[in-house]
Amino acid sequence: MVNDLLVLGAMLHLLGGLVLATLVHQDASLRESDHAAVLAVATLVLGLVFAAGYYLRRDRFGALPAAAERRRAPLAARGRDLLRSLLLVLAAFLTATAVVGLGANALTAAGLLTRGTLEYRVVGAVLQFVGFGVAVGGYLAITRDWDLVRISRPSLRQVGLIAVGVVALVGAQIVIARLLTALSVEVAQNQVVVTGQQDPRYFLYMIPVAVLLVGPFEELVFRGGVQGILRRTWGPAVAIALSSVLFGLVHWIALTGGGGSRVPYVTVAATLGLVLGYLYERSRNLVVPALVHGLYNTVLFGAQYLSATGAV
């Protein structure tokens, strides 16, 4: 557990530096201020110092398990796995679109749903993530690569990882939100937040969806599928990085606002993906990042509900 905390802490310092460097660079461009650029460099250096500190002391605290050692593979094999992972993400979104369209139309035709209502949007969200699961399930059935996704009941140590992961992500979210406000950086909004602000009940409906569907099925695609595929030929570090970049980029289509305001959101989402990817690599159990992801979203939806209703 001590080793896990140190690794996660070092990673968050490094990621925090990278996120801040991106945000203040944008702020410096808008304000033409040298101070923001200096802050970005200083913060990035601080993150690198913490990350380097762990690396230099890794023998004392321990390192990743032997299973995480990099495996060399021919360039052609790496290219095939990269293409396979990209196609899996594309298949997941195409399948989700089909499931949402067919499912919502069928329920509407049967008189069970009315277009434009809150219930219609909630069911659409449910069907979207079911579509993710169908896509990955289909991939595993076709390739018979069932060992790609590792799922088991969390051990006591993994429960600790889940708790640490949720606290770390929520804390990082609070810090980043305050920094964005202080730097006057415009950030795009997720369509989920926009819908919830129009009807706060949507946030309450999305809490069970986040825990039961969003966390499990997004992690099934990006950590179980993409990261698992890339890990075999690219190694764990590159697999975590690439899957996190894809995870951040796919949020682009769910945002409202100009392209410049979407960059900070995508950067933060990619940072979330890095932490989730590390947790999966460390635990080798998809349940761990799935629960961290779902519970993190639950906290955000709860906070959004309280804010939208004027409770805070």
Side-chain angles (χ1 to χ4, degrees):
M1 176 60 70
V2 173
N3 181 54
D4 296 331
L5 289 171
L6 287 169
V7 175
L8 189 56
M11 179 174 285
L12 286 174
H13 277 290
L14 177 57
L15 295 177
L18 292 173
V19 171
L20 278 178
T22 302
L23 297 179
V24 298
H25 181 269
Q26 179 184 6
D27 182 70
S29 299
L30 295 174
R31 297 171 178 260
E32 298 182 354
S33 170
D34 294 334
H35 297 291
V38 171
L39 176 61
V41 173
T43 308
L44 180 56
V45 169
L46 181 63
L48 291 173
V49 168
F50 273 89
Y54 171 74
Y55 178 79
L56 294 174
R57 307 298 292 177
R58 66 190 185 283
D59 292 335
R60 169 174 292 187
F61 300 113
L64 290 175
E69 294 178 356
R70 180 164 183 163
R71 303 177 182 179
R72 296 184 178 276
L75 184 60
R78 294 191 219 177
R80 284 194 299 269
D81 280 350
L82 179 59
L83 178 60
R84 189 178 292 119
S85 63
L86 292 173
L87 290 176
L88 178 59
V89 173
L90 179 61
F93 277 89
L94 291 177
T95 304
T97 301
V99 171
V100 171
L102 295 174
N105 287 338
L107 292 173
T108 302
L112 300 176
L113 280 180
T114 302
R115 294 185 183 277
T117 62
L118 178 64
E119 291 75 14
Y120 183 87
R121 295 188 177 93
V122 173
V123 171
V126 169
L127 292 175
Q128 175 185 346
F129 294 105
V130 169
F132 283 2
V134 171
V136 178
Y139 173 84
L140 296 176
I142 292 172
T143 61
R144 299 184 183 276
D145 196 5
W146 299 103
D147 292 335
L148 182 66
V149 178
R150 301 189 179 187
I151 299 175
S152 61
R153 185 172 63 181
S155 64
L156 183 61
R157 171 181 165 279
Q158 290 173 352
V159 170
L161 271 179
I162 293 170
V164 170
V166 174
V167 172
L169 289 179
V170 171
Q173 173 67 28
I174 294 174
V175 171
I176 291 172
R178 291 184 177 179
L179 286 172
L180 291 172
T181 301
L183 296 172
S184 301
V185 176
E186 181 184 358
V187 182
Q189 282 191 316
N190 194 298
Q191 293 176 5
V192 173
V193 175
V194 175
T195 301
Q197 289 175 343
Q198 296 171 351
D199 189 339
R201 293 177 301 161
Y202 186 66
F203 292 126
L204 297 181
Y205 284 125
M206 288 301 295
I207 287 177
V209 174
V211 176
L212 300 176
L213 295 172
V214 178
F217 288 123
E218 281 197 353
E219 294 308 298
L220 182 62
V221 173
F222 291 98
R223 251 55 64 181
V226 174
Q227 184 172 320
I229 292 171
L230 293 174
R231 185 183 188 277
R232 293 173 174 175
T233 51
W234 288 85
V238 176
I240 291 173
L242 289 178
S243 62
S244 299
V245 169
L246 289 174
F247 179 72
L249 289 175
V250 298
H251 284 78
W252 187 282
I253 60 178
L255 302 177
T256 60
S261 65
R262 298 188 186 198
V263 172
Y265 190 105
V266 169
T267 304
V268 174
T271 302
L272 167 65
L274 285 170
V275 177
L276 293 171
Y278 166 77
L279 291 174
Y280 183 46
E281 178 64 32
R282 188 67 193 179
S283 65
R284 304 304 295 151
N285 183 4
L286 193 65
V287 174
V288 173
L291 283 176
V292 172
H293 191 163
L295 293 173
Y296 167 75
N297 281 0
T298 294
V299 173
L300 296 187
F301 288 145
Q304 288 286 351
Y305 174 79
L306 294 176
S307 176
T309 56
V312 293

